[in-house]
Amino acid sequence: RPPRGWRAKYPVLARVVWWTLTVSAAALVFLALMLPANAEYFQVRSFLRIPVEPILLSALLLVLPRRPRLVLTVLTGVGLALLVIVKLLDIGFNMFLGRGFNLVLDWGLLDDAESYLEDTMGGAGALGAVIGVVALVLALLVVMTLSVLRLVNLMHRDRHTASRATIVAGTVWITCSALGLQLLGTTPVATNNTIGLLQDRAARVKATIKDEAAFAKEAKKDAFANVPPDQLLTGLRGKDVIFAFVESYGRSAIQDPAIAPGVDATLDAATDDLHKAGFSAKSGWLTSATYGGSSWLGHSTFLSGLWIDNQNRYRTVTAGERLTLPGAFHRTGAWRTVGIVPGVQYNWPEGRFYGLDQVYDSRDLGYHGPKFSWSTMPDQYALTAFQRLEHGKKHDKPLMSQIILTSSHQPWAPLPKMIGWDQVGDGSVYKAIQKAGKDPADVFSDGTKVKQEYGKSIQYSVRSLTEFVEKYGSKDTVLVFLGDHQPMARVSGNGASHDVPVSIVAHDPKVLDRISDWGWTDGLKLTDDAPVWRMDRFRNRFLTAYGPQNGATPSPSASPANP
């Protein structure tokens, strides 16, 4: 058709606009197909490949009648937009959690992401980020659909040329695939990545649904479910036992050259100080069920003896009656069981599942200081509140305490610092410390600074715990502390292990004698050759080691196999 309107008046501009829109549409479709799902694969060679999907789709669209062709074109545009959204979610999840996005289970985590943004960036910043995400999703749906429509219309304007081009492209793809041609080493020229991704996601959805039923049956099998109360934890009777989780305390803190020197020095000094106070320690490695975040999965795995690596498993186990480590103490009737959870800001029904007589969340600890990014209060304050509310009081029974510390939660800025224990007060003293701290945006955007500040946060949390034991512990104190997971990939690196340190600190030498056959390292600083166990194996080993020594309780090998 002859050009009309502004196209007739400005033919050169019209041609420039036409070519710009056409090339942009083709580029968007190509990028949607070739976009990697992991940031580490953002390399030039990832985009120098021939995808088979547009070739097959072009062949189909060329033979379809107009109405079915229009429907398929719109569906293709929407599908490509959704493909990009899923890949972007994959990139984010891989960066923070070391895994891809689960289409069945992970939508609920987006609320947690929003809460994290609000705690880190403030309400206005979080709102702006949410608006930006919604705008991006809508723009992708519209622009990608218009791009596919433009390209399909262009094909049907000259079906002869489009048919020849499709045949040539298909022949080239088949030839490259048959010959196994590779570009820049190991990158195949011919690719069907999108088809593979769709097949993989379908398989994951099917596996997730199947896993739900299988795990529900597994959770009901428990080697310690019917052990009489008087045969549980006989080796710890009369002891005040503390289980403490240190946020993001992973293998990287001890072995990464950019982080380890400060953390290792802190662990050595803490080991020496504990020894002077009459305490000894042994340490080992546990492989966490989570990575970079979702701390509650690590907590529940450690305490329940089940492998809880997704939200569905977490909901299943916490809705049941599985015997947890705190629950075992509770069942004996010989301990008062309490939970200190400063990161919890709402009701926490999981406290009942864990077997806790009393739970103190952020609203119960009497804190009147500022938040430190995501962390509602410094670890030292949380421990001081624990001393004031429970540990320092006289009880008819010893205490079993579950404490979840939060100061080493990302983005590791601003950070609190150790002060005199008698200066903590109601937390108001932290206002000046928080104000003088670093900006999270400045730290998080710098690969070197974020590692440095992460290391400092671990040093702070470890010192808070060990100084608490030195100051307020007694000959009956037993501390078990561990990391819940490794820090995110930006700190721990791509492909990092899921290993975290675990230590048992005790004044009574008989406590550590019971685990002498575990092969753990003496002290708080671990060696490379220390044993590595899956985190879900700890519960059975612990209950066995501190149960009767006459074989009344089952051994870890008698427990049901976990995946």
Side-chain angles (χ1 to χ4, degrees):
R1 292 178 298 176
R4 289 184 290 179
W6 71 273
R7 294 182 180 85
K9 189 173 181 179
Y10 304 103
V12 175
L13 177 62
R15 284 195 296 273
V16 170
V17 171
W18 187 91
W19 277 106
T20 299
L21 291 176
T22 302
V23 171
S24 298
L28 282 173
V29 171
F30 179 79
L31 289 173
L33 293 168
M34 304 308 295
L35 182 70
N38 197 318
E40 67 176 304
Y41 296 120
F42 272 81
Q43 303 171 9
V44 174
R45 63 183 180 182
S46 297
F47 298 92
L48 299 180
R49 307 169 72 184
I50 304 174
V52 71
E53 294 82 9
I55 300 173
L56 297 175
L57 190 61
S58 296
L60 179 59
L61 288 169
L62 283 169
V63 300
L64 283 178
R66 183 179 182 277
R67 183 166 294 178
R69 183 176 72 244
L70 179 61
V71 172
L72 181 59
T73 299
V74 173
L75 291 176
T76 300
V78 173
L80 285 175
L82 295 177
L83 178 67
V84 172
I85 292 169
V86 170
K87 287 184 176 181
L88 292 175
L89 287 170
D90 274 344
I91 291 171
F93 271 66
N94 278 311
M95 287 179 62
F96 284 86
L97 302 181
R99 62 174 177 85
F101 181 76
N102 188 304
L103 291 171
V104 179
L105 304 177
D106 286 341
W107 296 105
L109 295 182
L110 299 182
D111 287 338
D112 294 320
E114 181 185 0
S115 299
Y116 170 71
L117 287 175
E118 185 173 350
D119 291 329
T120 304
M121 303 168 55
L127 178 61
V130 171
I131 292 173
V133 168
V134 173
L136 175 62
V137 170
L138 294 176
L140 276 172
L141 290 168
V142 173
V143 173
M144 200 63 71
T145 302
L146 292 176
S147 296
V148 176
L149 279 169
R150 183 176 187 84
L151 295 175
V152 172
N153 289 336
L154 179 62
M155 285 196 308
H156 277 268
R157 288 185 186 180
D158 191 347
R159 296 182 62 183
H160 178 69
T161 301
S163 298
R164 290 173 58 187
T166 301
I167 292 172
V168 170
T171 302
V172 172
W173 190 93
I174 292 172
T175 302
C176 293
S177 179
L179 296 177
L181 294 181
Q182 295 181 342
L183 183 70
L184 300 176
T186 60
T187 304
V189 174
T191 178
N192 60 347
N193 276 359
T194 300
I195 293 176
L197 184 145
L198 295 176
Q199 291 174 335
D200 175 70
R201 291 315 163 93
R204 289 191 195 183
V205 170
K206 183 178 179 180
T208 299
I209 296 172
K210 184 178 179 180
D211 177 74
E212 180 178 0
F215 181 73
K217 294 180 181 179
E218 179 189 339
K220 294 179 181 179
K221 300 176 182 178
D222 188 351
F224 285 87
N226 298 316
V227 175
D230 63 350
Q231 294 182 19
L232 285 170
L233 299 162
T234 55
L236 290 173
R237 297 300 169 100
K239 304 297 184 187
D240 287 321
V241 182
I242 302 171
F243 290 99
F245 293 94
V246 176
E247 171 70 31
S248 301
Y249 180 31
R251 184 183 281 268
S252 299
I254 295 176
Q255 295 186 341
D256 189 308
I259 307 169
V263 174
D264 286 350
T266 296
L267 294 174
D268 284 335
T271 300
D272 291 341
D273 291 343
L274 286 169
H275 182 72
K276 293 175 183 176
F279 291 88
S280 299
K282 285 185 177 293
S283 303
W285 297 108
L286 298 177
T287 301
S288 178
T290 186
Y291 169 93
S294 300
S295 302
W296 56 92
L297 302 183
H299 303 161
S300 56
T301 295
F302 178 81
L303 297 173
S304 73
L306 290 168
W307 190 252
I308 316 295
D309 61 349
N310 61 59
Q311 191 64 18
N312 212 46
R313 286 187 165 216
Y314 180 78
R315 285 194 292 264
T316 297
V317 73
T318 54
E321 297 180 354
R322 176 80 176 184
L323 182 68
T324 65
L325 282 176
F329 283 86
H330 178 80
R331 180 187 288 183
T332 66
W335 279 272
R336 172 173 168 78
T337 58
V338 301
I340 306 295
V341 286
V344 174
Q345 303 179 53
Y346 307 99
N347 292 337
W348 194 55
E350 287 90 336
R352 291 189 296 273
F353 161 72
Y354 285 123
L356 300 174
D357 296 319
Q358 176 73 49
V359 172
Y360 298 90
D361 63 29
S362 60
R363 301 165 297 179
D364 305 317
L365 297 174
Y367 183 63
H368 293 283
K371 293 179 68 174
F372 283 77
S373 190
W374 184 90
S375 180
T376 57
M377 64 190 70
D379 292 346
Q380 189 181 8
Y381 178 87
L383 292 167
T384 302
F386 168 55
Q387 172 66 16
R388 181 182 73 251
L389 295 169
E390 287 284 350
H391 189 263
K393 292 183 176 180
K394 290 184 178 181
H395 296 285
D396 296 334
K397 305 174 182 178
L399 280 178
M400 192 296 310
S401 311
Q402 176 183 327
I403 302 176
I404 302 176
L405 301 177
T406 61
S407 287
S408 50
H409 194 288
Q410 63 191 35
W412 306 298
L415 291 176
K417 62 181 182 179
M418 294 298 297
I419 58 177
W421 290 87
D422 57 350
Q423 298 175 0
V424 172
D426 66 356
S428 301
V429 67
Y430 290 105
K431 292 179 181 179
I433 297 173
Q434 189 262 3
K435 187 176 181 180
K438 297 183 179 180
D439 189 301
D442 292 340
V443 170
F444 211 63
S445 61
D446 188 305
T448 300
K449 287 182 180 179
V450 74
K451 286 193 173 190
Q452 292 172 345
E453 298 307 305
Y454 161 72
K456 291 177 183 178
S457 74
I458 296 299
Q459 294 174 49
Y460 171 78
S461 294
V462 170
R463 286 307 308 173
S464 295
L465 265 177
T466 56
E467 285 191 17
F468 175 86
V469 171
E470 294 163 23
K471 183 175 180 61
Y472 298 112
S474 70
K475 60 182 178 61
D476 290 323
T477 298
V478 177
L479 168 67
V480 182
F481 77 96
L482 68 152
D484 45 24
H485 54 71
Q486 280 263 58
M488 60 177 287
R490 185 167 180 79
V491 173
S492 59
N494 293 317
S497 76
H498 288 206
D499 296 346
V500 299
V502 57
S503 300
I504 298 181
V505 179
H507 194 284
D508 185 349
K510 293 179 182 178
V511 173
L512 297 184
D513 288 344
R514 290 227 176 194
I515 63 169
S516 59
D517 60 342
W518 285 8
W520 280 18
T521 301
D522 290 330
L524 300 180
K525 188 172 74 174
L526 279 149
T527 57
D528 290 340
D529 59 352
V532 181
W533 306 338
R534 283 186 10 161
M535 188 177 277
D536 56 334
R537 305 302 191 201
F538 183 86
R539 187 206 70 156
N540 284 12
R541 288 181 179 271
F542 186 87
L543 292 177
T544 299
Y546 292 105
Q549 298 297 291
N550 58 6
T553 56
S555 66
S557 60
S559 63
N562 288 312

